[in-house]
Amino acid sequence: MLAECVIDECAKIIESQVEKSGTFETVIPGLYLYRWESAQAIACDSGQIMVSFIVNGQKETMITGRRFLYRQGQCLLSGVAAPSSFHAVGSSPAQPFLAVSLRLDLQTLIDCAGQLNQSAPKKMVEDSIFTFDCPDDLGEAFLRLLRLLKDPQQAKFLGPLFVKEIHYRLFLLPCREELRSLMSNGTQSHAVLKAVSWMKENYAKAFKVEDIADMVHMSISAFHRQFKTVTGMSPLQFQKQIRLFEAQRLMISSQANVSSAAYAVGYESPTQFSREYRRQFGLSPLKDIRQRQATA
């Protein structure tokens, strides 16, 4: 189990860097700090390949159609950039939720997988989201990265080295074979990962599933089966979720109105957009955005 002194120092650094509730990007690219003081605070993301480490409290994440609950000293690793929503469980001003997450670089992961001198990776994976107790070496790597935040000059020069170390240490975890399959050229898992990357960049465009399957050199049946295994949903469901989560982001961060957000993410009808938005988030777009802004 990760030493308490590591968790305690991580908590002190996060509290010194973040004085109010929210999600904050640091000077180290891809490194984010979280502090939530309310169990009602819910955040959503259209999807990142990432690893998060809980320093204090508990977090519930909905991703790939499943619910994950993990707590202090535990991590969640998302090997695919799937839309997700999460909230801190039982957090309060006296006991704030504290966490750190690192958005992982796909090419760095691919390079790490390719340099490992091991047997051929699995062709397919059964999962792409993993929760686990943070091992000592990974927790200490996160701590070294957090310490750099006290000195921007050191963060600039040493940050990329420590970030790369974390990428490598992920391949020492129990889920390493699944991660290696996702990141290794020639596997069906990696083909799905490439399809997901394309869809995230082109979510506003109409497409045919058979064209994407052909693009990644898979049969339609194999593509459908493996895509659902990796992401928890069909390709069209995945596109719809990305559109809805991106529209939500536009309405919150750019103050876009409902119609402009709908058109921006590829909907031809604001009415259809509002109907599908309500099904996804439980409220109409306007009510949902107002509620989220009120609890931010």
Side-chain angles (χ1 to χ4, degrees):
M1 191 171 187
L2 188 62
E4 286 188 15
C5 60
V6 172
I7 294 176
D8 290 345
E9 187 174 351
C10 286
K12 288 177 181 177
I13 294 173
I14 294 174
E15 289 184 310
S16 70
Q17 295 284 323
V18 179
E19 297 180 352
K20 60 180 182 179
S21 289
T23 302
F24 301 89
E25 187 173 8
T26 71
V27 295
I28 299 173
L31 186 70
Y32 289 77
L33 304 182
Y34 298 81
R35 178 178 183 140
W36 293 103
E37 298 181 351
S38 168
Q40 300 302 314
I42 298 176
C44 298
D45 195 291
S46 62
Q48 303 290 336
I49 298 176
M50 50 77 68
V51 59
S52 63
F53 170 41
I54 306 303
V55 175
N56 192 62
Q58 294 187 83
K59 180 180 180 181
E60 182 184 69
T61 296
M62 292 294 298
I63 185 170
T64 63
R66 292 175 296 161
R67 171 181 174 271
F68 294 89
L69 183 66
Y70 50 117
R71 62 185 185 280
Q72 182 187 65
Q74 294 186 316
C75 296
L76 180 141
L77 169 61
S78 176
V80 64
S84 63
S85 62
F86 58 86
H87 73 275
V89 178
S91 57
S92 67
Q95 286 293 328
F97 169 81
L98 303 172
V100 56
S101 74
L102 180 64
R103 294 184 177 181
L104 302 169
D105 178 70
L106 180 57
Q107 190 56 54
T108 301
L109 289 171
I110 292 172
D111 291 344
C112 287
Q115 291 174 27
L116 294 173
N117 186 22
Q118 297 179 0
S119 59
K122 298 178 180 179
K123 288 293 182 183
M124 298 184 290
V125 298
E126 298 301 323
D127 209 343
S128 60
I129 311 297
F130 314 94
T131 57
F132 51 90
D133 292 336
C134 186
D136 289 340
D137 54 5
L138 183 59
E140 289 164 2
F142 269 118
L143 176 55
R144 285 193 290 275
L145 200 54
L146 289 172
R147 284 172 177 163
L148 293 180
L149 298 178
K150 302 175 184 178
D151 187 332
Q153 189 74 3
Q154 285 194 25
K156 178 180 178 180
F157 286 95
L158 296 179
L161 298 177
F162 293 173
V163 165
K164 189 172 183 179
E165 177 191 0
I166 288 177
H167 282 69
Y168 166 73
R169 291 196 178 282
L170 297 177
F171 289 92
L172 305 179
L173 297 171
C175 60
R176 57 185 172 272
E177 289 304 316
E178 287 79 5
L179 185 60
R180 201 158 65 90
S181 178
L182 286 164
M183 301 303 159
S184 296
N185 286 314
T187 67
Q188 290 190 355
S189 307
H190 187 67
V192 170
L193 203 63
K194 290 195 290 186
V196 166
S197 296
W198 185 90
M199 291 171 67
K200 281 185 64 65
E201 292 179 3
N202 299 276
Y203 61 83
K205 298 179 181 178
F207 65 82
K208 293 181 179 179
V209 175
E210 51 264 39
D211 291 338
I212 299 182
D214 185 63
M215 179 179 68
V216 298
H217 310 294
M218 293 178 69
S219 69
I220 296 177
S221 60
F223 178 69
H224 263 288
R225 183 172 60 254
Q226 188 62 13
F227 193 95
K228 190 163 187 178
T229 297
V230 172
T231 68
M233 61 195 89
S234 72
L236 292 178
Q237 289 171 328
F238 186 82
Q239 181 198 37
K240 182 187 294 185
Q241 280 213 359
I242 294 176
R243 285 180 169 183
L244 294 172
F245 279 62
E246 280 295 319
Q248 183 190 72
R249 183 186 64 80
L250 287 173
M251 288 186 286
I252 293 175
S253 64
S254 302
Q255 288 78 51
N257 61 42
V258 173
S259 294
S260 61
Y263 291 130
V265 300
Y267 278 89
E268 297 180 357
S269 165
T271 301
Q272 180 189 5
F273 165 73
S274 295
R275 184 167 57 249
E276 294 186 354
Y277 191 100
R278 182 189 290 272
R279 275 202 293 265
Q280 176 66 43
F281 298 110
L283 294 170
S284 69
L286 281 178
K287 287 184 179 179
D288 181 56
I289 297 307
R290 287 170 181 165
Q291 179 173 298
R292 291 177 189 276
Q293 290 173 336
T295 58

